[in-house]
Amino acid sequence: KDPDTHEHVIGMQVPSSYIDLQRLLETEAKRCREIEKPPVLNQKEFALLAEGTGDITDPEELSLAAHFLHDNGVILHYNDYLKGLNNLYFIDPVWLADMLAHVITVPQRHSFVQNGLLLETHLKFIFRGNRYYPESYLAQYMQLLERFEIALSLGQGALLIPSMLPEQRPALPFAMPLPNTRHNTS
């Protein structure tokens, strides 16, 4: 069943333009991997690619196609307007999973996470120098980390990464002080 409409989707006919778009997206994702470019399209790039099918030309049809491809695991797209996430189409879901895991699984990155806390200003160091994970998407990376509950925003420029909390409970009963991330202007 479709989670939104609760209608059965098995046996439903799929427009051939959606299948054509899927093929175009798979080709584009492969090209991105070959040139080490992030497999992420913005709204305009996605629309231009969809126009290549000849049938997906208006915003409503484009939205329906994106929803169908998202539901079938071809792309990941979120109508989350915070930090511009709604403008991005992740055309290689495995890349996105790797990017999210990059924050917590690469040993060199652990030095930026202290007692489960990661300062947002340190997030850029985790991705620095890696063309495949450009810093220009840092705000969206943060939003995705929160969306998938890999990290939780604590405000004041800090993220809590539960999987990186120390095994021993801190001495304080329920609170850990946040580092002061604001610069004193006086």
Side-chain angles (χ1 to χ4, degrees), residues 8 19 21 82 113 126 159 164 185:
H8 290 281
I19 304 303
L21 180 55
L82 288 174
V113 180
I126 292 175
L159 296 170
M164 304 286 291
T185 58

Side-chain angles (χ1 to χ4, degrees), residues 4-22:
D4 295 330
T5 64
H6 302 290
E7 294 177 9
H8 290 281
V9 292
I10 295 178
M12 291 180 70
Q13 291 186 351
V14 176
S16 62
S17 58
Y18 291 13
I19 304 303
D20 294 342
L21 180 55
Q22 177 179 343

Side-chain angles (χ1 to χ4, degrees), residues 14 16-18 25 29 36 43-44 52 66 83 86-88 98 101 103 117 121 129 131 142 147 152 154 156 172 185:
V14 176
S16 62
S17 58
Y18 291 13
L25 290 166
E36 293 185 5
Q43 178 77 32
K44 185 177 181 179
K83 300 181 183 175
N86 63 310
N87 189 42
L88 299 179
D98 289 345
V103 174
L117 292 177
T121 56
R131 287 185 333 167
M142 287 177 16
R147 182 173 188 60
L152 305 169
L154 297 176
Q156 300 178 16
L172 297 174
T185 58

Side-chain angles (χ1 to χ4, degrees), residues 90-110:
F90 300 93
I91 61 174
D92 183 351
V94 172
W95 174 88
L96 182 59
D98 289 345
M99 185 280 299
L100 294 171
H102 190 74
V103 174
I104 58 173
T105 60
V106 177
Q108 304 91 289
R109 310 302 183 218
H110 294 189

Side-chain angles (χ1 to χ4, degrees), residues 46-162:
F46 185 72
L48 284 171
L49 201 62
E51 286 177 10
T53 66
D55 291 332
I56 304 172
T57 56
D58 65 75
E60 185 178 338
E61 188 64 30
L62 184 65
S63 179
L64 290 171
H67 185 78
F68 172 82
L69 294 170
H70 174 90
D71 286 349
N72 286 285
V74 176
I75 66 169
L76 294 173
H77 174 71
Y78 303 98
N79 286 325
D80 189 339
Y81 289 87
L82 288 174
K83 300 181 183 175
L85 198 53
N86 63 310
N87 189 42
L88 299 179
Y89 296 79
F90 300 93
I91 61 174
D92 183 351
V94 172
W95 174 88
L96 182 59
D98 289 345
M99 185 280 299
L100 294 171
H102 190 74
V103 174
I104 58 173
T105 60
V106 177
Q108 304 91 289
R109 310 302 183 218
H110 294 189
S111 64
F112 293 109
V113 180
Q114 300 295 316
N115 294 320
L117 292 177
L118 172 66
L119 297 179
E120 291 175 7
T121 56
H122 290 165
L123 191 60
K124 66 182 174 191
F125 297 114
I126 292 175
F127 296 104
R128 177 168 279 160
N130 190 330
R131 287 185 333 167
Y132 209 46
Y133 304 120
E135 291 179 43
S136 59
Y137 292 129
L138 281 178
Q140 289 82 12
Y141 295 161
M142 287 177 16
Q143 187 64 26
L144 288 164
L145 289 167
E146 291 179 47
R147 182 173 188 60
F148 291 108
E149 297 180 0
I150 294 169
L152 305 169
S153 176
L154 297 176
Q156 300 178 16
L159 296 170
L160 174 68
I161 302 178

